[in-house]
Amino acid sequence: MANPLYDNLFGKHAGRDAPFLHLVDGTVISYRDFLAQTAQLAHVLTGLGLSPGERVAVQVHKSPQALALCAACAQAGLVFLPLNTAYTTDELTYFIENSGAALVVCDAGKTASLTPVAAGLGAKVETLNADGGGSLTDKAAAAPDSFDTVARNADDLAAFLYTSGTTGRSKGAMLTQSNLLSNAQTLAQEWQFSADDVLLHALPIFHTHGLFVATNVTLVAGGSMIFMPGFDLDEILAQMPRATSMMGVPTFYTRLLDDARFTKEAAAHMRLFISGSAPLLAETHVQFETRTGQRILERYGMTETNMNTSNPYAGERRAGTVGFPLPGVELKITNPETGETLPQGEVGVIEVRGPNVFKGYWQMPEKTADELRADGFFITGDLGVIDEAGYVSIVGRGKDLIISGGYNIYPKEVELVLDEQGGVLESAVIGVPHPDFGETVVGVLVAQPGQSPDTDAIMEAVKGPLARFKHPRRLVVVDSLPRNTMGKVQKNLLRDAYKDMFMLA
Ligand code: MLC
Ligand code: AMP
């Protein structure tokens, strides 16, 4: 009986004593030990009565046990649904209800707020804390350390990742076993990962980048990861001499460059630095090369598609581009109005098709049909152009989206909250350049006639419905919003007006 995802990422390492995770306290977890824990957790999951295809919603801190839980879901044929640790109870309630999760795994500190939500759905709640303890691991300790892997097909669902939309409602992107596996295999090959690689892993594991790209590529190659709880500059510099590779969002690289300890010598043991999830400024690319003698390899992907393009490992890594479509991925630039393919050199919407592209949005056939064409091309909403050598550049976004430090924020979601606040007639939320996060959130408010909104009270009020990273870093009150003749808010004018707000500070 086969389970392609589990067998090819995890099962193939059965019995290996080679290291899989190096923790910052010096602990080393071998593949053998990791798989034993995975099996124990798989027993707990099936013991709770979960059946293949059911969703396991997980909001926990990064830990080896959290990663083993993801592996256990694969082994037990369950759908893993990771959630940002910054999400508030309001946000979590939507994800849990929308997905119809059968089990919610959270930090012990969240059980009081999430138990009623889960109970309303008939879902169970288990805990997994930052230190790896909790009801889940307590139960696992008594379980056998081998498990009969549940059979699954390549086309079966493996994960749901929620991604917001321009209407403000989050959508569950359904990823199949083969979406994840094919992409990991392609990337491991393209980036020449091997069992000798030691990846510096400082990304969160609730998004595609840290969970599927970084972890699955390591698993395909049989290498190991220095598994850090989060981004800690001192720790990264301390660990870098033991590592061979790192994956990060551009903020990782600008923070490293801001530190004089990050030198050519500090990076000498590294063979590869990869950047993605947000645009890497050509200037950062150049500074990085000047400092270290190494070129960052930039690639482009998204939740719905995994990775689409990459600069070459061996060839020229061209600053300001995201490289070429990956093997097996078709990429075209189309006219946003007609959907027709544009000639090389013209700017249009990037569309992609391949084994990496998701199956659709959970229980949202209309939204799926809007973005995923019947012929399999996914309309990314990113604006791009292909140069004469075939390099793809992302030149803007057709979708109203802010990317702050690699986290996506859909302005509509924030505007809906701001519009409800006392004294606010309407709002427009924009992204403006930020020296650390690349972009940050600014809320532009128009007051109700005769009123003046209390911006401090509004900043307090957004804490309930919105995760911290979505909060406006500044609120400004204006007389009216600029609109075109169709009545649409001209956000480009607002972005232009406030573009230096954080850069000149
Ligand atoms: C943290 N904060 C953020 C933030 N991260 N605010 C806006 N944007 C962010 N990205 C908040 C904190 O809560 C804190 O709030 C304050 O900002 C300062 O925090 P910090 O200590 O400086 O943040 P830090 O913990 O160092 O985190 C920054 C970061 C992190 C860049 C390391 O955000 C990160 O790991 N980002 C990676 C995201 C990622 O993995 N994206 C991949 C998506 S997948 P306060 O209250 O103290 O002010 C994808 C597809 C693809 O996009 O192609 O890969
Ligand atoms: P997410 O929905 O979190 O998966 O974010 C995906 C979006 O991140 C893409 O649609 C792009 O807009 C953006 N993105 C990812 N990688 C890059 C990159 N290398 N350069 C510019 N934007 C990127």
Side-chain angles (χ1 to χ4, degrees):
M1 284 296 218
N3 177 324
L5 189 70
Y6 182 82
D7 296 347
N8 288 289
L9 293 184
F10 303 101
K12 69 172 184 173
H13 299 297
R16 267 185 81 201
D17 281 319
F20 174 43
L21 301 177
H22 309 268
L23 309 187
V24 289
D25 68 2
T27 308
V28 179
I29 300 175
S30 66
Y31 273 98
R32 183 196 292 275
D33 290 347
F34 182 80
L35 294 181
Q37 171 135 54
T38 298
Q40 290 180 311
L41 286 166
H43 278 290
V44 177
L45 296 172
T46 48
L48 288 167
L50 302 186
S51 322
E54 287 195 302
R55 275 77 58 207
V56 179
V58 179
Q59 190 202 37
V60 297
H61 289 283
K62 186 176 172 183
S63 67
Q65 292 79 3
L67 201 57
L69 176 59
C70 173
C73 285
Q75 192 169 21
L78 298 163
V79 177
F80 188 65
L81 193 174
L83 294 158
N84 194 323
T85 45
Y87 287 146
T88 65
T89 304
D90 285 6
E91 290 166 314
L92 294 170
T93 302
Y94 173 79
F95 298 126
I96 293 168
E97 288 180 354
N98 183 266
S99 65
L103 172 67
V104 176
V105 182
C106 63
D107 191 272
K110 285 274 174 82
T111 42
S113 52
L114 294 183
T115 301
V117 180
L121 278 171
K124 300 194 162 70
V125 178
E126 297 289 340
T127 60
L128 178 56
N129 304 324
D131 64 2
S135 65
L136 202 65
T137 38
D138 285 350
K139 288 181 181 162
D145 63 4
S146 71
F147 177 86
D148 287 337
T149 303
V150 172
R152 293 263 90 188
N153 291 317
D155 204 33
D156 282 332
L157 297 181
F160 275 16
L161 258 60
Y162 274 81
T163 154
S164 291
T166 40
T167 55
R169 263 191 88 201
S170 285
K171 303 165 285 185
M174 301 186 287
L175 293 155
T176 65
Q177 289 218 339
S178 76
N179 291 152
L180 304 181
L181 185 58
S182 67
N183 209 237
Q185 287 170 333
T186 301
L187 296 174
Q189 175 136 18
E190 287 297 293
W191 297 337
Q192 300 189 14
F193 269 79
S194 77
D196 294 331
D197 265 297
V198 182
L199 179 85
L200 254 181
H201 193 303
L203 287 160
I205 54 166
F206 43 71
H207 277 314
T208 299
H209 198 164
L211 185 61
F212 299 138
V213 186
T215 305
N216 289 356
V217 163
T218 302
L219 285 162
V220 166
S224 61
M225 302 193 279
I226 300 176
F227 203 62
M228 304 174 53
F231 184 90
D232 175 336
L233 194 54
D234 293 340
E235 198 63 63
I236 286 187
L237 288 165
Q239 299 288 347
M240 200 171 278
R242 303 204 292 144
T244 61
S245 46
M246 184 170 109
M247 297 186 194
V249 297
T251 301
F252 283 25
Y253 296 109
T254 50
R255 287 186 181 184
L256 278 169
L257 287 168
D258 277 345
D259 194 305
R261 294 173 295 171
F262 183 58
T263 58
K264 186 170 182 163
E265 293 66 43
H269 193 250
M270 297 285 285
R271 70 168 185 92
L272 184 58
F273 291 94
I274 300 175
S275 178
S277 307
L280 183 78
L281 294 178
E283 185 190 312
T284 310
H285 185 99
V286 171
Q287 270 180 24
F288 197 92
E289 187 176 9
T290 309
R291 180 86 67 89
T292 64
Q294 302 200 38
R295 283 189 173 204
I296 298 175
L297 183 154
E298 187 173 4
R299 77 348 172 242
Y300 157 61
M302 51 194 305
T303 299
E304 290 92 333
T305 65
N306 299 280
M307 299 304 102
N308 295 311
T309 73
S310 173
N311 268 281
Y313 183 77
E316 186 197 347
R317 300 176 195 167
R318 209 173 267 189
T321 81
V322 292
F324 307 111
L326 288 164
V329 177
E330 294 170 78
L331 183 149
K332 60 182 183 177
I333 306 288
T334 61
N335 178 322
E337 310 300 330
T338 63
E340 277 173 28
T341 305
L342 292 169
Q344 180 267 314
E346 285 192 25
V347 172
V349 176
I350 299 176
E351 296 194 23
V352 292
R353 177 165 72 180
N356 52 318
V357 175
F358 76 143
K359 212 169 177 169
Y361 297 113
W362 170 246
Q363 291 183 338
M364 290 188 183
E366 279 130 42
K367 290 218 186 297
T368 303
D370 284 349
E371 296 179 39
L372 189 56
R373 294 188 192 281
D375 65 4
F377 271 97
F378 178 67
I379 307 165
T380 63
D382 291 310
L383 300 178
V385 63
I386 305 178
D387 72 12
E388 66 298 331
Y391 286 85
V392 178
S393 292
I394 297 171
V395 298
R397 293 179 203 132
K399 52 194 172 190
D400 193 12
L401 163 70
I402 301 167
I403 306 182
S404 166
Y407 288 150
N408 288 6
I409 298 140
Y410 278 84
K412 187 75 193 170
E413 187 183 359
V414 185
E415 287 161 2
L416 289 172
V417 174
L418 293 178
D419 290 348
E420 280 175 7
Q421 305 306 316
V424 176
L425 179 65
E426 60 174 350
S427 66
V429 167
I430 53 166
V432 300
H434 187 274
D436 186 29
F437 291 133
E439 273 185 297
T440 198
V441 183
V442 170
V444 184
L445 308 176
V446 177
Q448 297 269 15
Q451 296 193 37
S452 58
D454 178 345
T455 49
D456 289 342
I458 293 176
M459 291 304 279
E460 202 48 41
V462 300
K463 288 184 184 165
L466 299 173
R468 170 72 182 127
F469 68 88
K470 299 176 188 171
H471 296 180
R473 293 288 157 146
R474 202 147 317 160
L475 290 173
V476 289
V477 182
V478 297
D479 291 338
S480 63
L481 297 174
R483 293 185 188 277
N484 65 15
T485 47
M486 308 292 288
K488 193 170 177 323
V489 176
Q490 292 170 299
K491 288 198 170 178
N492 54 327
L493 298 184
L494 292 174
R495 280 192 285 266
D496 204 44
Y498 299 112
K499 68 177 187 310
D500 294 330
M501 193 175 232
F502 292 90
M503 301 308 277
L504 296 180

